[in-house]
Amino acid sequence: MSKLVIEQPDGSNRDLASAERRSAILHATLELLAARGLHQTKIADIVRESGASIGSIYHHFGSREGVFYALYIETFELCFAELRTAVLPSTTAREGIRGLADTYLRWVEQHPARATFIYDVSQGDILRSFLPEIAAFKGAFYTEIFAWMQPFIAAGEIIALPPWAYDAIMMGPAHEFARRWLGGQRELPMAAAREIIADSIWRAMQPATS
Amino acid sequence: MSKLVIEQPDGSNRDLASAERRSAILHATLELLAARGLHQTKIADIVRESGASIGSIYHHFGSREGVFYALYIETFELCFAELRTAVLPSTTAREGIRGLADTYLRWVEQHPARATFIYDVSQGDILRSFLPEIAAFKGAFYTEIFAWMQPFIAAGEIIALPPWAYDAIMMGPAHEFARRWLGGQRELPMAAAREIIADSIWRAMQPATS
DNA sequence: GCGCTTCTAGAATATTATTCTAGATTACTC
DNA sequence: GAGTAATCTAGAATAATATTCTAGAAGCGC
């Protein structure tokens, strides 16, 4: 890290420190994903865009999948950090529940390349070999959110359901809209969607009155 | 179709009529997808399992993607047919809205291999080149459902929203649950999930009372 | 049967991911 | 600050895989 970065005559960055090289590979991969999608992002493209060699990429990430996995985790960390900040400090159920969907959709709008990538690999066919790690990572996040909800559930402000039901109800509509918006329908009004979806989730989370 | 199928001495089915060969290729592909997933289903595997030659596969489907696209459309047709039957004849809003999620989750439970496949390719990275066709196909279905909803919206029994908002709210939670269930958590109670999710969607579709 | 189209086969080719080996750089120890 | 072990980089060689191509078989209308 403290090592000098020396520009080579041919313009490539041969002497990036290791951590910077690693990060350059991920950055180049994200750019390529945004431009042409997961399927069309080849190792040779990453080599060209990042300035790293094949050997270097395999040293750092083990495989093409490994590059994607690293980017996937990095992306989740970025996204979850924002969601935590939006939800956990909330002192009312309504603010927290609405904030979850609202903040998530804001994040999608600000990071369309990362969000598209997440949806492209999610359900985990390409990253099948990393599925257990991914499930554990997500599970830890939902556990935090669930803990925040407990007092409101106990107080009857949020409907009481089995734990596995909450993420379907709280995140499903936002994911569904985000997929449509990212997948070619960016003309859909995101700001209105945030309102409508946050409202509908809040209604779905109300204890039944009858 | 009227052509005789002659078993060859080597056990392969060299003389399947064309339509049967096409269908044998799709069937073998589905089996392979169920066993090992999209990414690990190779052309060579399909050749081996279906008994067709490489040339034959490319003649019928044009590419590996083309095989998946054909299976994708076939699967959507099967699924949409059931959803139409469940929803369109409903005479109350509650029955139709709940039936959509309920029937969809029953379908997922009965066809896990097809459902997994749909989620693996959806958002359309692998099938990127077929995206317009897929969007049109889905759009036509949602238009039918939307038409069925119109009278109930007009009567104030279902909340009035912009058209693009309905599928996020009505299908999002079911999709989210289905992904979890298919992706390794089959121990989650599907019957209970159908109830809980159908209920929550119904609440989300109620016009706000305040 | 004749000519045309559709279909099948599998070898040849092209594309792409991965491995391997040699050497450069860095970090650590004395 | 020289020695040395670990880490990192490069890119050619290899392996895995998708696709194309050519020759011919089978179906089909006349």
Side-chain angles (χ1 to χ4, degrees):
Chain A
M1 331 269 189
S2 58
K3 182 167 182 304
L4 273 177
V5 174
I6 301 162
E7 285 293 326
Q8 296 299 302
D10 65 354
S12 70
N13 301 318
R14 290 176 150 261
D15 290 319
L16 282 175
S18 169
E20 287 179 29
R21 170 121 294 167
R22 200 186 134 93
S23 136
I25 293 168
L26 291 179
H27 183 259
T29 303
L30 185 60
E31 297 286 307
L32 287 161
L33 288 168
R36 45 179 96 182
L38 189 60
H39 199 55
Q40 285 304 320
T41 296
K42 316 289 186 185
I43 288 287
D45 299 327
I46 300 175
V47 167
R48 178 169 29 74
E49 289 297 311
S50 70
S53 68
I54 299 179
S56 192
I57 292 171
Y58 276 81
H59 171 76
H60 284 291
F61 300 103
S63 66
R64 179 169 173 266
E65 279 191 21
V67 179
F68 294 142
Y69 174 67
L71 195 57
Y72 190 82
I73 293 296
E74 181 185 281
T75 297
F76 261 119
E77 276 168 357
L78 288 169
C79 180
F80 284 175
E82 291 207 20
L83 295 180
R84 268 190 204 99
T85 309
V87 173
L88 300 185
S90 300
T91 53
T92 69
R94 187 166 196 275
E95 184 193 349
I97 298 292
R98 287 180 47 102
L100 189 62
D102 184 76
T103 306
Y104 179 69
L105 288 174
R106 279 179 202 274
W107 183 85
V108 167
E109 192 173 18
Q110 279 161 20
H111 304 90
R114 285 186 184 269
T116 300
F117 166 64
I118 288 294
Y119 287 122
D120 281 352
V121 298
S122 78
Q123 181 65 7
D125 183 62
I126 284 212
L127 294 184
R128 185 171 270 224
S129 49
F130 295 102
L131 226 47
E133 290 92 330
I134 290 171
F137 193 80
K138 283 192 194 178
F141 172 73
Y142 282 120
T143 300
E144 286 178 63
I145 299 293
F146 189 57
W148 171 85
M149 290 167 59
Q150 280 305 328
F152 302 109
I153 296 170
E157 293 177 45
I158 293 176
I159 192 168
L161 294 175
W164 49 260
Y166 287 109
D167 72 319
I169 294 173
M170 292 195 301
M171 292 306 291
H175 285 315
E176 193 66 13
F177 180 81
R179 279 174 214 273
R180 279 259 303 269
W181 187 83
L182 291 165
Q185 295 186 252
R186 305 248 171 134
E187 73 281 4
L188 294 179
M190 181 56 100
R194 284 202 307 270
E195 275 295 306
I196 289 173
I197 287 172
D199 286 345
S200 88
I201 293 172
W202 178 244
R203 286 194 298 278
M205 295 289 285
Q206 255 23 108
T209 47
S210 65
Chain B
M1 331 264 194
S2 59
K3 182 167 181 304
L4 274 177
V5 175
I6 302 162
E7 286 293 327
Q8 297 298 301
D10 67 353
S12 71
N13 302 319
R14 290 176 149 260
D15 289 319
L16 282 175
S18 169
E20 288 179 28
R21 168 122 296 165
R22 199 186 135 91
S23 136
I25 292 167
L26 291 180
H27 183 259
T29 303
L30 184 60
E31 298 285 308
L32 287 160
L33 287 168
R36 46 180 95 182
L38 189 59
H39 199 56
Q40 284 305 318
T41 296
K42 316 290 186 183
I43 289 286
D45 299 328
I46 300 175
V47 168
R48 180 169 28 75
E49 289 297 312
S50 70
S53 68
I54 299 179
S56 193
I57 292 171
Y58 276 81
H59 170 74
H60 284 291
F61 300 102
S63 66
R64 179 169 173 265
E65 280 191 19
V67 179
F68 294 142
Y69 175 68
L71 195 57
Y72 189 82
I73 292 297
E74 182 186 279
T75 296
F76 261 119
E77 277 169 355
L78 288 169
C79 180
F80 284 176
E82 289 205 22
L83 294 180
R84 269 189 204 100
T85 308
V87 173
L88 300 185
S90 300
T91 52
T92 69
R94 189 166 196 275
E95 185 193 348
I97 297 292
R98 288 181 45 103
L100 188 62
D102 184 76
T103 306
Y104 178 69
L105 288 174
R106 279 179 202 275
W107 183 85
V108 167
E109 191 173 19
Q110 279 161 21
H111 304 90
R114 284 187 185 271
T116 300
F117 167 64
I118 289 294
Y119 286 122
D120 281 351
V121 298
S122 76
Q123 181 65 6
D125 182 63
I126 283 214
L127 294 185
R128 184 172 270 222
S129 50
F130 295 102
L131 227 48
E133 290 91 328
I134 290 171
F137 193 81
K138 283 191 193 179
F141 173 73
Y142 282 118
T143 301
E144 286 179 62
I145 300 291
F146 190 57
W148 170 85
M149 289 166 61
Q150 281 305 328
F152 303 109
I153 296 169
E157 295 177 44
I158 293 175
I159 192 168
L161 295 174
W164 49 260
Y166 287 110
D167 72 320
I169 294 172
M170 293 196 300
M171 293 307 290
H175 284 315
E176 193 66 13
F177 180 81
R179 278 173 215 273
R180 279 258 305 266
W181 187 82
L182 291 165
Q185 296 186 252
R186 305 250 171 132
E187 74 282 2
L188 294 178
M190 181 56 99
R194 284 202 308 270
E195 275 296 305
I196 288 173
I197 287 172
D199 286 345
S200 87
I201 293 172
W202 179 245
R203 285 193 299 278
M205 294 290 284
Q206 255 24 104
T209 47
S210 66

